[in-house]
Amino acid sequence: MVRKMGVYAVIAYTLYGLFYYWYLFYFANTSLPFEFQGSQADPTTFLNGRELMLSEEYSKTRNLLFFLSTPLEWLFYFLILIFGLSKAFKKWADEASKNQFLQRAIYLIWLSLFAFAATFPLSYISFSLSKTYNISTQTFASWMKDELIDFWINYGMMLVIVSVLYWLIKKSQKRWWFYAWLLTIPFTLFLMFLQPVIIDPLYNDFYPLKNKELETEILSLAKKANIPADHVYEVNMAEKTNALNAYVTGIGSNSRIVLWDTTLNRLNNDQILFIMAHEMAHYVEKHLYIGIAGYILLSLLGLYLTHRIMEWAMARWGRELKVQGIADIRSFPLLLMILSMFMFAASPFSNMVSRYQENRADQYAIEMMKNPEAAITAFQELTRSGLSQVNPPLLVKIFRYGHPTMLERIARIEQYQFEHRPKE
């Protein structure tokens, strides 16, 4: 029975992968609707033939890797359970120490190492792909360093979460999900407070913007938006990527305005000011706090469903999964699998909300800067630097895009230009 379940899971994953390969490479139509051909949203007007070809190739492969990666995690956790590896990790941990906390730490290091090994091939393929298409400028050593930082940060947070979570489950197997949800609120806010000053600097160097004239203009925009910022930060991303980005991060006194140096190198001041006005709009319209509230509500639903599904799975397949009950730490891979499935299923909704907020931020920036030409050329350069598809396939947009497509963004600005054209 166990062997059959494993075989069926591998077959299901293979069929799933073949479906998305067929959809992305043979079925999906990414050509522009007739009414947008020749407009400023048409990539043939701002990309050369080679860039057009590369953007299609790169986007298709990158999208396929995205759709393969998350279900690979589900398959990994499922196989870990049915083939008894979770049970083996627990046994090794128990043999290594009598201390309960150390047992959890040892169990999690084994689980984390196996998960890292299982997902490493796809991660490396993604890195190699970005190098091949000149998106990434990162050396393998630098990339590997970032991967290891990810590993240890995730491990540290997981150890804290698991220790608290399984203590709650042992105290209340009926209400643990609710108590865990209550703790996610301060934990999420704490992480967001730490992100700009503790976590982000582990990956890159941040320093005050060198271009003081540009910094003055950005801070002037921030003052108009009532953003409490005294500095604009620059981050050295050119060593890692040719892509462009800028953002406002953190909460409270740790809020930061950040520009990638690639953005500073590739865009002019008008284009940068439009992008910064867009980022500031998220602060003005409280999108960060709306996002936190939405995440917290989704967490409540996700934890409750996880509780119910785990109880059902334990009652029906506990023996096959080699787990005695929910309170048994060996059930942790099942919990991770269910939560990952829930987040993937919820991503179309969260992406839809995000696209609405991004649309609002675009509108705010257009009306604030009143420079549609700078906005359009900035979006065109973002498309070129990331080899992005202007009109991605529907399923890609639904599951991947937290921003409107470039077609939608540029077309909306052209509409603004038309509506505000000088009257004769």
Side-chain angles (χ1 to χ4, degrees):
M1 179 62 181
V2 169
R3 190 170 295 175
K4 281 185 178 179
M5 291 171 72
V7 170
Y8 291 153
V10 171
I11 291 173
Y13 178 74
T14 303
L15 292 175
Y16 165 89
L18 288 173
F19 166 77
Y20 270 104
Y21 177 80
W22 166 79
Y23 173 76
L24 293 169
F25 284 84
Y26 297 101
F27 179 78
N29 182 13
T30 58
S31 60
L32 256 60
F34 175 77
E35 60 269 26
F36 295 105
Q37 291 178 13
S39 70
Q40 293 182 86
D42 187 343
T44 61
T45 64
F46 61 89
L47 297 180
N48 61 41
R50 183 173 182 274
E51 289 170 334
L52 284 168
M53 179 190 69
L54 292 177
S55 66
E56 281 299 308
E57 288 179 356
Y58 177 68
S59 295
K60 286 176 180 177
T61 309
R62 185 182 58 172
N63 290 332
L64 178 62
L65 290 172
F66 165 81
F67 283 111
L68 290 177
S69 60
T70 302
L72 179 63
E73 291 181 24
W74 310 342
L75 179 64
F76 166 75
Y77 291 131
F78 184 67
L79 295 178
I80 282 284
L81 286 165
I82 65 172
F83 287 114
L85 280 172
S86 185
K87 182 180 178 181
F89 299 157
K90 178 69 164 58
K91 181 184 175 184
W92 299 341
D94 290 347
E95 290 173 349
S97 175
K98 298 298 182 185
N99 182 279
Q100 214 169 52
F101 179 79
L102 286 177
Q103 287 174 352
R104 290 195 195 100
I106 295 166
Y107 172 88
L108 286 176
I109 197 69
W110 279 113
L111 179 64
S112 299
L113 286 170
F114 272 69
F116 183 83
T119 56
F120 183 82
L122 275 186
S123 298
Y124 180 73
I125 290 170
S126 181
F127 164 69
S128 297
L129 179 73
S130 61
K131 287 281 286 184
T132 301
Y133 286 87
N134 202 33
I135 303 297
S136 173
T137 57
Q138 200 170 12
T139 64
F140 175 78
S142 172
W143 174 77
M144 199 66 213
K145 177 187 172 185
D146 286 350
E147 289 289 301
L148 291 174
I149 292 171
D150 279 344
F151 176 88
W152 288 112
I153 289 176
N154 291 335
Y155 173 75
M157 287 195 294
M158 198 184 298
L159 181 56
V160 173
I161 291 167
V162 165
S163 298
V164 174
L165 187 63
Y166 279 85
W167 178 81
L168 290 173
I169 293 173
K170 286 180 180 178
K171 290 292 182 182
S172 175
Q173 291 206 18
K174 296 295 182 184
R175 296 284 183 269
W176 67 266
W177 58 272
F178 181 71
Y179 301 134
W181 173 73
L182 289 176
L183 290 175
T184 64
I185 300 171
F187 185 70
T188 300
L189 294 175
F190 181 66
L191 280 182
M192 295 192 73
F193 186 77
L194 288 184
Q195 183 84 29
V197 294
I198 301 295
I199 299 175
D200 289 347
L202 294 174
Y203 296 89
N204 302 291
D205 295 326
F206 291 77
Y207 38 84
L209 186 62
K210 296 171 187 173
N211 187 336
K212 294 304 174 185
E213 183 181 340
L214 178 60
E215 183 181 46
T216 300
E217 292 186 76
I218 293 172
L219 290 176
S220 176
L221 289 180
K223 188 176 180 180
K224 290 180 185 177
N226 294 316
I227 296 176
D230 297 321
H231 299 285
V232 178
Y233 289 88
E234 184 178 339
V235 56
N236 62 329
M237 291 299 295
E239 296 176 355
K240 295 183 177 182
T241 183
N242 283 317
L244 313 181
N245 197 16
Y247 55 91
V248 178
T249 186
I251 57 175
S253 60
N254 276 6
S255 296
R256 279 187 173 185
I257 300 171
V258 180
L259 276 163
W260 285 11
D261 58 353
T262 51
T263 305
L264 293 164
N265 296 336
R266 296 276 291 272
L267 301 185
N268 62 42
N269 281 12
D270 287 341
Q271 294 167 332
I272 291 170
L273 288 172
F274 169 79
I275 289 173
M276 294 315 301
H278 167 99
E279 296 302 330
M280 291 173 190
H282 292 306
Y283 183 93
V284 172
E285 300 209 353
K286 308 277 191 295
H287 290 165
L288 176 63
Y289 299 100
I290 293 169
I292 292 171
Y295 170 77
I296 289 170
L297 287 174
L298 275 177
S299 297
L300 177 61
L301 177 61
L303 285 167
Y304 172 72
L305 290 176
T306 299
H307 160 67
R308 297 304 299 267
I309 294 170
M310 284 188 74
E311 281 193 332
W312 170 76
M314 288 296 99
R316 183 161 184 177
W317 291 307
R319 182 175 295 179
E320 285 83 356
L321 297 177
K322 299 173 178 61
V323 179
Q324 293 178 352
I326 297 175
D328 184 351
I329 196 172
R330 290 175 292 186
S331 69
F332 187 55
L334 178 63
L335 186 146
L336 287 175
M337 183 176 72
I338 295 168
L339 282 176
S340 178
M341 287 178 168
F342 174 77
M343 287 189 289
F344 188 77
S347 61
F349 172 74
S350 58
N351 285 339
M352 181 179 67
V353 173
S354 177
R355 287 195 298 271
Y356 171 77
Q357 292 178 338
E358 295 295 337
N359 180 40
R360 292 280 300 170
D362 281 351
Q363 192 65 34
Y364 176 94
I366 294 165
E367 292 174 359
M368 186 181 198
M369 302 308 300
K370 293 182 170 55
N371 191 345
E373 191 59 37
I376 289 172
T377 53
F379 285 144
Q380 289 174 340
E381 190 58 38
L382 283 168
T383 302
R384 177 182 290 107
S385 65
L387 292 180
S388 306
Q389 288 174 311
V390 169
N391 187 33
L394 179 61
L395 289 179
V396 173
K397 177 182 174 180
I398 289 172
F399 283 97
R400 286 208 70 185
Y401 272 53
H403 289 71
T405 66
M406 284 302 180
L407 172 62
E408 294 167 336
R409 301 179 90 170
I410 295 175
R412 191 172 294 112
I413 300 170
E414 286 191 308
Q415 181 66 26
Y416 174 89
Q417 280 182 311
F418 177 77
E419 291 171 354
H420 292 80
R421 69 192 187 283
K423 294 182 179 178
E424 297 179 1

